[in-house]
Amino acid sequence: KAGVTQTPRYLIKTRGQQVTLSCSPISGHRSVSWYQQTPGQGLQFLFEYFSETQRNKGNFPGRFSGRQFSNSRSEMNVSTLELGDSALYLCASSLMTSGDSEQFFGPGTRLTVL
Amino acid sequence: GENVEQHPSTLSVQEGDSAVIKCTYSDSASNYFPWYKQELGKRPQLIIDIRSNVGEKKDQRIAVTLNKTAKHFSLHITETQPEDSAVYFCAADQNTGNQFYFGTGTSLTVIP
């Protein structure tokens, strides 16, 4: 099976712009979670989608949003970009829905905000 | 919400020695504790996990222990090798969906 894929791999944006990142989960996985990884904060949970519904949400401002499509692919959007949004954005998919199972990570999208 | 603390932030060991990384969590509802290894420039990958109904789990040179009463769990790597050098993250999950709370990571360096 193909692993989790994310596009694009690298992005450079300027403050105030908006950005959309895409994640394709492993075939058959219906749960997709998003994380922000920064050197100082580690991996922080953004949100999780299952069957096109957001089930959980982390402590991020409303500028961060996401959605999931019927084929389980997911997108996240960040509006009005700030310098502090520069990070590696990782998505992860899981076969199980209960939360006590492995999440498989994608390679990430490296976002740089200038 | 859950808060996971991880120590140490950096760890250097000689090849062949053991390495221990410790994590504590705050919410007694957490019941799944995975450990991920992230090599430089690569995605995190699961190396071992433990559920709250188990006290210890081993997989070759890697073991994890869980103390539910004290709310802490530890990763033990024996006979370390240079390829064990990476950043290791612990996490906790509350079985409410796939929402992991991660520690801040431990950068392990194995010196040949």
Side-chain angles (χ1 to χ4, degrees), chain A residues 4 31 33 35 37 41-43 45 48 55-57 90 94 96-103 105-107, chain B residues 31-32 36 38 41-46 49 51 89 93-105:
Chain A
V4 179
S31 169
S33 300
Y35 295 87
Q37 184 173 25
Q41 298 294 321
L43 288 98
F45 174 77
E48 186 233 356
R55 284 203 301 185
N56 294 290
K57 190 176 190 307
L90 292 160
S94 179
M96 302 301 289
T97 64
S98 60
D100 62 346
S101 62
E102 180 176 4
Q103 291 189 38
F105 283 85
Chain B
N31 59 4
Y32 175 64
Y36 280 80
Q38 187 175 29
K42 296 191 176 181
R43 69 190 76 189
Q45 292 196 301
L46 180 75
D49 57 11
R51 289 171 174 77
F89 293 95
D93 185 279
Q94 299 178 335
N95 200 29
T96 57
N98 295 302
Q99 177 179 359
F100 287 179
Y101 294 89
F102 281 90
T104 49

Side-chain angles (χ1 to χ4, degrees), chain A residues 22-104:
Chain A
S22 180
C23 172
S24 293
I26 292 171
S27 177
H29 288 195
R30 294 163 63 192
S31 169
V32 175
S33 300
W34 288 89
Y35 295 87
Q36 181 194 64
Q37 184 173 25
T38 57
Q41 298 294 321
L43 288 98
Q44 292 189 291
F45 174 77
L46 282 154
F47 28 66
E48 186 233 356
Y49 286 86
F50 175 76
S51 291
E52 302 179 64
T53 301
Q54 186 181 89
R55 284 203 301 185
N56 294 290
K57 190 176 190 307
N59 295 323
F60 279 82
R63 300 185 296 106
F64 292 81
S65 63
R67 59 177 175 168
Q68 186 180 36
F69 302 93
S70 58
N71 62 358
S72 294
R73 188 178 70 85
S74 177
E75 289 182 347
M76 68 164 282
N77 184 276
V78 188
S79 62
T80 318
L81 284 166
E82 300 177 359
L83 294 179
D85 297 334
S86 294
L88 180 66
Y89 290 88
L90 292 160
C91 77
S93 73
S94 179
L95 178 62
M96 302 301 289
T97 64
S98 60
D100 62 346
S101 62
E102 180 176 4
Q103 291 189 38
F104 294 83

